[in-house]
Each structure stands twice: as C-alpha cells, then as structure tokens.
Amino acid sequence: MDMSVKPGDDFYTYASGNWIKNNPVPAKETRWGSFNVLRDFNIEAVRGLLDDAAINKNAPAGSVERRVSDFYKSAMDSAAIEKLGYTPIKSDLQKVNAINSKQAAITQIAKARTEGEGSPFFGFYVGQDRKDVEVMIPQFSQGGTTLPDRDYYLKDDARSQKIRAAYNDYVIKLFTLTGTSEAQAKANADAIIKLETELARAQMPRVEMRDPQKTYNKLSVADFSKSTPHFNWKQVMPMMMVTGEDTVLVNNPKFFVKVDSLFAATSLPDLKAYLTWNVLKSSVSYLSSDFVDAAFAFNQVLTGQKIQTPRWQRMSQLTDRTIGELLGQLYVKKYFTPAAKQRMDQLIKNLVKAYEQRINGLEWMSAETKEKALAKLHNFTPKIGYPDKWQTYQGFDIKPTTFYANVKNGDAWDYKDMVDRLGKPVDRTRWGMTPPTVNAYYSPVLNEIVFPAGILQFPFFDPNADDAVNYGGIGAVIGHEISHGFDDSGSQYDKDGYLRNWWTDDDRKKFVGLADRIVEQYNNYTVLDTIHVNGRLTLGENIGDLGGLNAAYTAFKMTPEGKSNKKIDGFTPDQRFFLAWAQVWRTNILPEAAAQQVLVDPHSPGEWRTIGPLINMDAWYEAFDVKPGDKLYVAPEKRIYLW
C-alpha cells in the first residue's frame, strides 16, 4: 500500500502503490499484476508436473502421464526442431502452390481449418443455436485478418502506421525464410495486406459484435449460397466435414457478400499468396528459431514485450491449450483440494442469496421482471475446479519425437471433435477452459458460471484467509460472473439460455438508461495520452464488476466477520474487503500493450476496474471516510445503482 495517498483521492495507489512501484513489468511479459503472478505460479506448477511426467519411466503407453510427457518432450526438443527448419510445412506449402484454379482455391479455403492451416477469409465453429439452445448448429463468422483488430488496418494515427509497417516486414520475412525471393515476398505482402484491409473494412466493429440480436442471422444453406455466387456452401461445407445440415447462423451476412466479391476480384497468384500466408502464420510458432524470432520481432512492436517468453513456458502453455484435460488431471490431483471445492460451493450459495436480496430490493425494476430475473438466477449452473467427466482425446496420436505433427494432429482432432457435435444432444458437462486456467466465465446459452481450479488460489481465494479477503477477491469474481447473466448482452437471454426477451419494455428502458450512464463514466477514464477507455466495448465487464462487487459486499455482510467491527492489521472488515478487491486488479502494463488493450479487450484496465465500481458504492465512502472535496467523491444522487 501507499499510505501517503488519501484513499478518497486515489484509491488505486493507496491500496497498491508500493506494489506497483516495486513490481515493474518483467522483460518476458507485457503486463504484470495479480493475475500474472498467479499465472506465473501456475505455469511453474505445470512445468513441475510436466518434468515429473517426463522422468517417470514407469508410465505405461497411453496413460495420462505418458501422453502429456510425450507432447511436452517433443515440444522441448529444440535441437530436432532447429534441424528441421521449415521442413514440417513444405508439403502444406506445396499443396497451396499446386492450386491452379479458383475452384481449387475454394477447396483449400474450406480444408485449411480442418487440418490446422489457419482460417482464411472467415471464421467457423459449431455451437448452440441461441434461439433454440438444445440444437447445435454450424456458425460462420467474419474473419480472415491477422492484426488483432480491424482498426489497425483502417486508422491512420502514428501508432497504427508503425504496426502496419512492422506487419509488412513480418510478412516479407516469413516468405523469404521459406525461399521466396525478396521482390516476390514484397509483392506478396502488398497483396496480402491489401486483401486483409478490405476484409477489415467489411467487418463489423467490436462494439456492434457485442449485440447478440444483430449477430443472429439464420439462413438456409441455399439462401446463404445465393448471397455468395462463388461459394456454393452445399459443396463447400462437406469439405469442412459438415454434412446433412440445411441451416446455418451467420454473424455478419454483409461480410460474406464482400468476401465473395473480393475472392472474384483477386487474381489467382494473389489468392495463393494469401493462402500461403495462412499456412505460414498458423505454423510459425512450431518451426525453427528464425521463424519464432520473426514472429516475436513483430509482437514486440505490437505489445512492447522486451524479451521472448522462455521456451519451457510457451510449451507448457501449448500443452495446456492442446491437451488441457489430460494435464488438468495431474494439476488438480496436486493443487486443488476437496476443502477448496467445498468452500467455493458455500461462497457461490451465499453470492446467489445476496443477488436475490439485491434483485428484490431494486427500486427501478417492476415485480413482473424481478420474478423472471430471480428465476434466471436460481437456474444458474455452477461448475467448480474441473469437469466431472474428463476428455480422453481418443484417436489423438502423440509421439515424443514429432512436435509439428503432434500440434497438427491436435488441431485436426479438435476440429473433428467440434463438428462431431452436430446432430447430437448438447453436452452440458463440457468445459470451455482447462483446469489450470487463471480465469472464469459465464455462458449465456448454458446459463452456467465456471471457475477453473487455476483461479481458486491466492490472491483470489485462500481457504485460510479471513472472509473479507475471500469475498473481496473470489467473492467479487463469482458475483462478476453472475452479473454477466444480467449485463447488456447476457440479460437478453432467459433462464434456459434462449435469446428471447423476458423484460417489460419499461424496465428494459430503465436498464438501458443506467447502462448508458456506466458507458459515460468509463468513457471519461484516460488510459494513455489521448486514449480513453471505450465505455461501450467494456460495458459488459463493467456491469460485471459493479454488480459483482455489490453482491459480494452484501454476501460478506452476512458473515460473522462482515457483521463485526474487529480490526485486523489495523483495518476494519469493510476496509479489508475493499482493499482485497483493489489488490486483485493492481497492474503494471507497457504503453504498447495498454494501447492494444483498449482496442481489443472488453475489460477496462486495472486502475479503472478498481475505482469504477467503488465510486458507486455507499459502503466504500463510509469505510474510508470519503468526503466532498476528495477527488474520487461522487454525490449520492449521481451514483449508479444497477444490480
């Protein structure tokens, strides 16, 4: 803490100032905060598990330990990877090079995603139909670009220009590394960036993409094909391993009209350059160090990161991403106790009870809508720690000597596993995150809140800490995920996960009015020189924080400590609650990473996540005696009371 600062003037610095001063961003990172500290702890834990598995000579073939160890071993065999250079992708490159017609190009566009060769032109996945949630449906989405956001292609400020120049160099570099002449590589880069810029122009901005109604467009395959004369989806979809489906969801139909005309207008050599680029960029991390270094040089410009993340860390994370439910079994055995699961069960029950109280106490909401909101709240499914049913990755072949093949087999297995869900009942036991992940999520179509074992550790959660610390930490995270069911987007889904309205018109109007005030509040926060928080993009997460912290505080007040005034370390229970919240969000971030975060991340930066909810909470003013004249003071009638 930095006690020289008045809490009412700058609570972020008061709660975390000395930590921020003494914990600069490590050279291998782009930001450093409580999340990163815990992620670092977890990645070290994972490394220990992988090292143990690697030296376990008795693990039988096909066992969890052996499969995890074989994958990691292949990933860490840098001598073999160096020797191979770009040999692993030569056949993929030759396949693209052999394309001799537009029809053959369409085949590559379709098949690339089934074999882990990128997602040229558009995104595709299989998921629940938001308006018919018992049904899995093929879903097409805008895509085809490489830079993290469309704005990087379209904005002309100095920052965007610098990133585009570095991107151009990166494309040229990867082509020349695979034997293309400098002149041809430059021509390829021009064609690729020109094509991607047009794709970016056709994409909807992120803020619009947050609207679940706007992105819900159900089309018959025949009608979808009519809008894209060059893409007959009845023929293209089977190449993507999707058969027997007559209906699809498309998040931006206009984008696909544009894709079709761009495809028609682009010469075959330029299309081949773009498809080659998709192979290169999707495999660059798995090739020799000259490729990996080229990718990092570009990433440095994008994020400001000083040195490359150590190989063991990158490969531990890759193992988690590829076979996370095998690795997860080893992780929870060692790092997640039944007692922690039990304590979480109790915390979630208390948070639901607190949310119920808060909904019942809302002055702006009618009894009719309250009844539906409570029905939704009581229909939430919590998942804690790890899945009840582990994924076995049956049919995924892993060898200790073939790194690139392992990664490709993983991508292909993953894709096939996804399309295999079509025509089957929705599997409600599946998880969208692996057990070691330091994060949590809410799924509107499943109406579930999910907390992987990875986040259930200090500073978010400590079974031995007092309630103030746990409710200000993991309690607020639980409340945050519940609030996503009631944010600007999640509130459009009913208790069963269907995208359908359950509000009276009047209540919805009041909700939107309050949400607009939250947008305005965050729009006023400056992140970097002229860059402000995008209050509209971050609205869902800001509602999550405001609703979550309020609910966590209400739940905390039900505990014996919450009802007492007994000080610990000189701080009252309420003060400790708010300090725990603030210290979860303390962060140092590089300016380049901060600029990128504002464009692509729906979360506000740490400082504003800390302060944004607090200035709307009467209890915070009382706990720290914040008075008119203090810089953060907001008059009671101007505070925003949403959930």
Side-chain angles (χ1 to χ4, degrees):
M1 294 175 70
D2 180 352
M3 313 284 273
S4 70
V5 176
K6 238 176 121 179
D9 283 344
D10 180 356
F11 191 71
Y12 183 65
T13 303
Y14 169 77
S16 303
N18 276 324
W19 187 93
I20 288 165
K21 209 181 299 170
N22 297 325
N23 289 274
V25 179
K28 71 181 177 77
E29 303 283 348
T30 58
R31 64 175 83 177
W32 195 246
S34 297
F35 264 88
N36 308 82
V37 172
L38 180 47
R39 279 182 185 139
D40 230 42
F41 166 81
N42 267 357
I43 208 70
E44 285 285 358
V46 163
R47 179 195 201 174
L49 295 167
L50 290 166
D51 288 345
D52 289 351
I55 54 175
N56 180 358
K57 298 282 181 276
N58 302 322
S63 65
V64 170
E65 283 87 349
R66 173 65 81 79
R67 296 179 78 197
V68 165
S69 151
D70 283 354
F71 186 91
Y72 185 61
K73 228 183 248 174
S74 76
M76 288 304 288
D77 189 355
S78 46
I81 292 162
E82 278 313 299
K83 208 189 291 178
L84 286 168
Y86 76 98
T87 307
I89 61 167
K90 276 186 176 166
S91 61
D92 297 339
L93 295 174
Q94 280 159 0
K95 196 167 58 182
V96 176
N97 197 34
I99 290 172
N100 57 10
S101 67
K102 287 276 181 102
Q103 196 48 52
I106 287 177
T107 303
Q108 173 63 16
I109 290 165
K111 284 192 167 169
R113 60 208 76 228
T114 70
E115 291 161 5
E117 290 166 19
S119 301
F121 282 108
F122 57 86
F124 172 78
Y125 63 102
V126 169
Q128 284 166 271
D129 182 336
R130 280 170 275 168
K131 294 191 177 180
D132 191 1
V133 296
E134 297 306 327
V135 173
M136 302 297 280
I137 188 168
Q139 310 201 22
F140 287 85
S141 58
Q142 62 182 32
T145 47
T146 305
L147 296 175
D149 190 82
R150 69 194 289 274
D151 278 12
Y152 285 113
Y153 294 92
L154 308 178
K155 281 172 89 168
D156 248 353
D157 58 289
R159 226 179 242 116
S160 305
Q161 286 180 10
K162 184 182 170 192
I163 286 165
R164 280 200 295 273
Y167 179 45
N168 187 59
D169 293 345
Y170 175 43
V171 178
I172 292 168
K173 180 73 174 166
L174 290 199
F175 273 100
T176 53
L177 283 175
T178 49
T180 307
S181 73
E182 186 82 22
Q184 186 57 54
K186 281 183 173 157
N188 289 351
D190 286 346
I192 289 159
I193 292 170
K194 185 179 165 210
L195 181 58
E196 289 191 357
T197 303
E198 288 308 309
L199 291 170
R201 227 185 282 284
Q203 290 173 3
M204 271 199 283
R206 274 173 198 266
V207 168
E208 287 183 49
M209 292 296 292
R210 282 188 47 70
D211 183 339
Q213 294 285 0
K214 191 179 264 188
T215 54
Y216 185 92
N217 303 284
K218 199 179 223 179
L219 300 170
S220 70
V221 173
D223 284 345
F224 189 27
S225 299
K226 270 183 209 148
S227 70
T228 58
H230 298 88
F231 289 80
N232 177 348
W233 297 103
K234 220 176 179 51
Q235 289 166 4
V236 174
M237 281 162 61
M239 296 179 208
M240 296 164 61
M241 300 168 69
V242 176
T243 52
E245 297 288 325
D246 58 6
T247 312
V248 295
L249 284 177
V250 183
N251 72 356
N252 181 358
K254 280 188 190 148
F255 174 81
F256 284 85
V257 173
K258 182 66 176 173
V259 162
D260 190 75
S261 66
L262 276 174
F263 177 80
T266 305
S267 71
L268 192 59
D270 286 354
L271 272 178
K272 283 165 73 169
Y274 172 68
L275 293 172
T276 303
W277 173 238
N278 271 270
V279 172
L280 289 172
K281 72 177 182 185
S282 64
S283 54
V284 65
S285 309
Y286 319 125
L287 304 174
S288 52
S289 55
D290 41 0
F291 286 87
V292 175
D293 293 346
F296 179 66
F298 170 55
N299 190 47
Q300 275 186 299
V301 179
L302 204 52
T303 66
Q305 189 174 334
K306 302 289 182 286
I307 63 166
Q308 215 166 130
T309 309
R311 183 169 189 90
W312 71 263
Q313 189 171 335
R314 284 180 281 130
M315 296 307 125
S316 299
Q317 286 164 325
L318 178 66
T319 308
D320 184 33
R321 281 202 305 277
T322 312
I323 43 173
E325 290 199 17
L326 296 180
L327 180 61
Q329 292 175 55
L330 305 180
Y331 178 83
V332 298
K333 207 181 286 180
K334 188 164 180 181
Y335 292 101
F336 190 61
T337 63
K341 193 166 173 129
Q342 223 172 338
R343 185 85 190 270
M344 271 298 285
D345 275 333
Q346 197 49 53
L347 276 160
I348 289 170
K349 283 194 183 87
N350 292 355
L351 257 296
V352 168
K353 207 184 294 172
Y355 230 97
E356 185 182 312
Q357 272 185 27
R358 296 193 66 81
I359 289 170
N360 279 323
L362 290 175
E363 286 175 15
W364 59 269
M365 186 183 270
S366 69
E368 189 185 334
T369 307
K370 276 180 187 175
E371 196 182 317
K372 304 263 175 60
L374 290 167
K376 179 169 185 175
L377 176 71
H378 292 135
N379 220 28
F380 271 58
T381 303
K383 291 179 174 175
I384 303 164
Y386 53 90
D388 295 330
K389 190 174 82 183
W390 292 103
Q391 179 61 267
T392 61
Y393 305 93
Q394 197 181 347
F396 175 12
D397 192 27
I398 302 170
K399 294 194 175 74
T401 52
T402 55
F403 175 48
Y404 186 73
N406 288 342
V407 174
K408 287 293 288 271
N409 290 347
D411 287 340
W413 187 91
D414 217 31
Y415 183 85
K416 186 174 184 313
D417 179 58
M418 176 181 77
V419 293
D420 279 351
R421 288 173 226 161
L422 287 166
K424 293 186 182 143
V426 172
D427 181 357
R428 293 174 181 275
T429 66
R430 294 184 73 91
W431 278 52
M433 282 176 183
T434 68
T437 305
V438 183
N439 212 334
Y441 69 92
Y442 168 72
S443 165
V445 281
L446 291 164
N447 199 24
E448 65 180 14
I449 44 174
V450 185
F451 306 96
I455 199 172
L456 304 178
Q457 308 206 37
F458 184 81
F460 296 92
F461 176 64
D462 179 353
N464 305 312
D466 59 297
D467 279 332
V469 170
N470 277 327
Y471 278 87
I474 200 69
V477 174
I478 297 166
H480 173 103
E481 297 309 335
I482 292 174
S483 296
H484 274 314
F486 301 101
D487 70 16
D488 58 314
S489 173
S491 61
Q492 298 183 53
Y493 295 80
D494 70 8
K495 72 181 178 65
D496 299 312
Y498 287 79
L499 181 60
R500 60 182 171 210
N501 183 43
W502 47 272
W503 296 70
T504 67
D505 290 347
D506 194 40
D507 287 340
R508 190 76 201 172
K509 204 183 289 171
K510 287 177 188 162
F511 173 84
V512 170
L514 289 163
D516 285 346
R517 285 177 59 198
I518 295 172
V519 171
E520 194 185 335
Q521 176 190 329
Y522 283 83
N523 277 342
N524 286 318
Y525 293 143
T526 306
V527 179
L528 202 68
D529 46 68
T530 58
I531 299 176
H532 284 246
V533 175
N534 181 340
R536 192 61 69 188
L537 176 65
T538 56
L539 178 59
E541 299 298 336
N542 297 335
I543 291 174
D545 285 345
L546 180 59
L549 192 61
N550 268 298
Y553 180 75
T554 299
F556 171 57
K557 295 312 274 182
M558 298 173 189
T559 68
E561 187 190 1
K563 289 174 184 154
S564 83
N565 285 315
K566 189 178 166 228
K567 289 186 178 182
I568 302 178
D569 297 334
F571 294 100
T572 66
D574 276 20
Q575 288 173 333
R576 288 173 67 77
F577 171 86
F578 289 115
L579 287 168
W581 162 258
Q583 289 173 357
V584 158
W585 299 117
R586 59 193 184 191
T587 314
N588 276 310
I589 186 165
L590 301 176
E592 297 89 340
Q596 182 180 335
Q597 183 187 3
V598 168
L599 274 187
V600 305
D601 194 339
H603 302 86
S604 297
E607 179 177 358
W608 306 117
R609 286 195 80 167
T610 303
I611 287 167
L614 296 180
I615 63 169
N616 293 304
M617 290 181 68
D618 302 346
W620 173 73
Y621 289 84
E622 284 157 32
F624 291 95
D625 196 26
V626 180
K627 296 269 194 294
D630 291 343
K631 287 179 188 160
L632 292 175
Y633 181 84
V634 172
E637 67 278 7
K638 294 218 168 115
R639 294 173 200 164
I640 304 165
Y641 304 103
L642 183 58
W643 290 110

